[in-house]
Amino acid sequence: MVQYSLPLVPGPDKVRWNASVNGVNVDFFIDSNAILLDVLRDQSGSLGTKRGCDMGTCGCCSVMINGTPKLSCLVLAQEVRDCEITTVEGLSSGHHLHPIQQTFADCGGSQCGFCTPGFLVVSAALLEKNPSPSEAEIKTAIEGNLCRCTGYQQIVESISKASEILVSGRRVGNSTSSKSDPHPGFSGSE
Amino acid sequence: MSDNDRSIKSKEASERDVTSESGEMVGYRQQPGKLPFSKPGSGGRNRFSKPTDYSRIPESQGGSLKQPWGPHRHDDLVSGQVIGKPTSLVDSNWKVTGQAKYGDDIRLQGEVIGRILRSPHHYARVLSIDISKALELPGVLGVATGEDAPGKFGVLPVTKDEHAMAVEKVRHVGDLVACVAAIDEPTAREACRLIEVEYEVLDSIHDIKQGLEDSENPIHDRGKYHIGDSNVQKRVFQQFGNISDMKDSSLASHESNWTFTGVNHGFTEPHAVVAHWDPSGRLTLYTPQQVPHYLHRALADVLDIPMHQINVYRTFVGGGFGGKSDPFPHEMCAAILARKTGRPVRINFDREEVFWVNRGRHPSKISMSLHADSEGRLCGIETDALIDGGAFASFGHVTTYYNGVLHTAPYEIGAFHYTGARVWTNKPASGAMRGHGAVNSRCAVETGIDDLAEQLGVDPIDFRLANLLPPHSATITGFRVTSIGMRECLERVKEESGWDEKFRKMPLGKGIGIGCGFFISGSGLPIHWDPNKFPHATVHLKIDMDGGVTVHTGAADIGQGSDTVVAQSVAEVLGLPLDMIRVRSKESDTSPVDLGSYSSRVTFMNANAAISAAMEIRNELLEATSEITGSKIEGLVIGDRRIFDKRDPAVGVSYLEALHKAQEDKGALVSSGSYRTPPMGRAHKGAAAGLAPAYSFSAYVAEVDVDVETGQTKVTKVWAAHDCGKALNPLAVEGQIIGSCHMGLGQVLSEEMKYGRTGHLLNPDLLDYKIPTVHEMPDVTPIIVESNDPEGPFGAKEAGEGPLLPILPAVVNAVYDAIGVRVSELPITPDRLYKAIERRCKSEGIGEPSDMAPPRLEFTSLQETLQRRSIDHSKRDKERRLTDSPSPYHNGALFGLDPEIPGDEQDSRWAAVVIPPDGYLEDPGLAGSAWKHTERRYRGDVE
Ligand code: FES
Ligand code: FES
């Protein structure tokens, strides 16, 4: 088989790009016309950022750019050079989920889960700015995100539950902590 | 025994605990909190098992859970662990952290990108394809065309009519012509451009009615089975009971002609597939599929290799709803390209391509006549449904039946007449979509009933309540309906919505409406009949010494939570916390065959299979315990990670002890359980379509605001009651109900696949295809009704599709209540509704829309008759559902037939007729006119 080297079809120039993706400084060459979503998925390995439509209509590709949620399929990667980008992978701290992640799991905010990264990023950004949003504020925040499974109701619930946790200052437990003992003692009165 | 007694008793028991002088445990009596020894493999966080949750154990098993619907065969398996508790999905942590791998997230080393060249023509013969230029482009590794895989496939074995890529013809814009594998996407796109295809354009058809006529070039040729020279793919004629008699005796009749546009599933994840032939020459195909098994079969056919050489790997599925439940040509393409190039090939779709694949709900024309007699009985339903199948058969064979047979319940009817036809047109294929085949005709029936009730001067809910089939009955077509929670659904929504204060009483522009639904829970016959004796679902369990349970199932989790429900069932039977169960459901190499996620079959069949697999293990654990403790097996019960003697709970062993005892001679415990539907149904042609081991019921009330000046409709509130038998996971059931509402709401208010004058799809994107956002969603109150189905796992039935049906008619009826205008075309967009408002104003001579009078209701004397009957029936139903073996009840008893004998056996006028009688064609319905053609084999002009 013949191996070819890039570029084959006359393509855009390669430019150097750096940014902080989920707290890590990345530095690589990208196509000068590359879309942020493609860079994140194909080059920085953030496959959690989903592509639902590629034209700004579904919200699955939402990421935070310097704290503001943006549709990464509509952002030219070059525009966000040196910015701080947070994707869904950057929400949890180690194995402690972000409250919004925990409540999405607990309250049915995620069914098939494909829209979930987008919703999480958008609502995490909302809660950052406004830790106890009203229902109307929540709805406004997620109006650009489509979900075909949940009918949004449990998503809105998840977000308000998360805000309760955030306000209370509690932290979500570590998901790697020990699980049920298959050989428990028996306590009849507990 | 009350809770109190029980806790006293268990205290006594623990106080009586026998310890020897030295403080050593004697026998298997344990002291609370004291562990005699620790077992290898132990060491988890939660050291003490919870006391058994008696509020979740049914009364019949000594618990305190009320059983208004009677006992169930799985009652003794309930350990109070997880069934019936809101449970988050077992894979939700993967999803919320972005770690879940969907189709396009599978990245293999050395992958290349596949792209598909699609037809620019609606209908054309492919004369030649020249791929030489494309192959010359640097970076192109392979090009494939129809010649590479001429084999046909399709989801239904009777209608295999798809090819991997065009062989001879392309049948719609977007149909596959060729495919390319290249080192990156721009190169692949460029290569597609370089493929030269010569077409001979043929006359395309787009109008569904035109499909009924003879054509020079029918879109497919089915040889001797072809229906005339037409584009009719399937036609159905069914007549039960004597419709003309019933018509004559009717007091009120409703007639409507509906137009339903096509809608798309609109799942968020576009199709994607990765194919990889490994060094040993086996194919692994990664794809978000609802029916991995059918794909498995199709791949074997098309690639011409045995099934065992293929591993179908179902990735996470970003929404299916029926749209990922066919074996798809692009999946074949990826496999073909990967074989050619020797590299893994990944194909990922644009949103536009998703619309070209479609398989969404059929655009349909449905005429509906309903008749009611002087007793307020529903004495006749006549339905004629012409549905637009697009270019391929897909599930259409079944859809054609479903449009009729799925509205023969929940009402007892006097006669049923159905003609249906599905035609091919040059559009992307229609197929199965949530509520398969039942949604449109159900909308027509329910709005018709609203109109009948109005004509009769009765309340539409009372009309329905007085005409319901009782539990354990057979419909007019012979479906065995066991549990029915319809009455409770209606009563609950009526009460919670404040129906009596609102219906026909609200000011202009505000309305309230009711709609009901009825849907199958699993289909009675598997799609592939060949090895007829195969079970529909199989589940394997494996427990090794660590105590965790590995569940192997082929059930495709598409977000509905099937992994969770299977895990729950196992956890419940074995008395284990959910975190000890791990589900492996992704690979056909490791999972037993499962037919897939369609027909709302997964929970019903897989949980049943999981329960029987777990029962086997349970027995082994009980035997082992009895050996250790010396207690009788019959006296042992399973609680939270502990097996103990019912009479003396202090005597018992931990789960791990029992397990290790049971493993002594054979190592890991393995078991296999399966489920197959019982024999059901009658013998007439088509009797199997719509047969299901159980049926779900639902009733919704919707409140709307209509702006009469603009025609804008806003749904403000929905009360949604659904009878799911038993909510194994109430959180998921509520999610399904609300999600169904959302999808149905889209169809009734805004979603439509629009085709332009020249037949082009105008809105293949999510901007113009309008899926409701959070702002369009009303406040939905989900109401779960649990009718405890005798066949279902722990009493459960489906909850995924049925809840979609009632929202359409509920909204349509509410719009009528608000402004007195009946629509007969969906979606109710402002422009459509405003035109209807104008029409009403014009015909009634009303100057301004705001002067229109909203409809009002004066009860006639019939209302009382109906109320009386519904009270009687409610008593009858209660008795029937609680008796162990109720006498048969066949549809027709309300009309004076003997309920114990099927109508067609006692009176020839009730016999099933499935071929149009002489004279029918003199004045056929629209779809009925499909019968004017003769099948070629009977015409004698084809071999
Ligand atoms: S992929 Fe960016 S909005 Fe849909
Ligand atoms: S969870 Fe499936 S699209 Fe939102």
Side-chain angles (χ1 to χ4, degrees), chain B residues 897-941:
Chain B
L897 290 182
D898 181 346
E900 307 232 339
I901 307 170
D904 56 350
E905 281 174 30
Q906 51 184 309
D907 190 332
S908 61
R909 287 174 310 162
W910 289 69
V913 180
V914 293
I915 297 192
D918 294 341
Y920 170 74
L921 282 173
E922 279 160 27
D923 180 25
L926 184 56
S929 67
W931 288 89
K932 70 185 178 206
H933 303 284
T934 315
E935 240 180 77
R936 283 189 194 159
R937 56 177 163 162
Y938 299 125
R939 225 167 53 177
D941 56 346

Side-chain angles (χ1 to χ4, degrees), chain B residues 862-878:
Chain B
L862 196 57
Q863 171 74 8
E864 245 173 69
T865 319
L866 291 180
Q867 275 172 339
R868 241 179 291 125
R869 191 158 82 225
S870 105
I871 292 172
D872 288 349
H873 281 189
S874 151
K875 281 194 205 120
R876 169 197 72 181
D877 293 1
K878 203 171 210 162

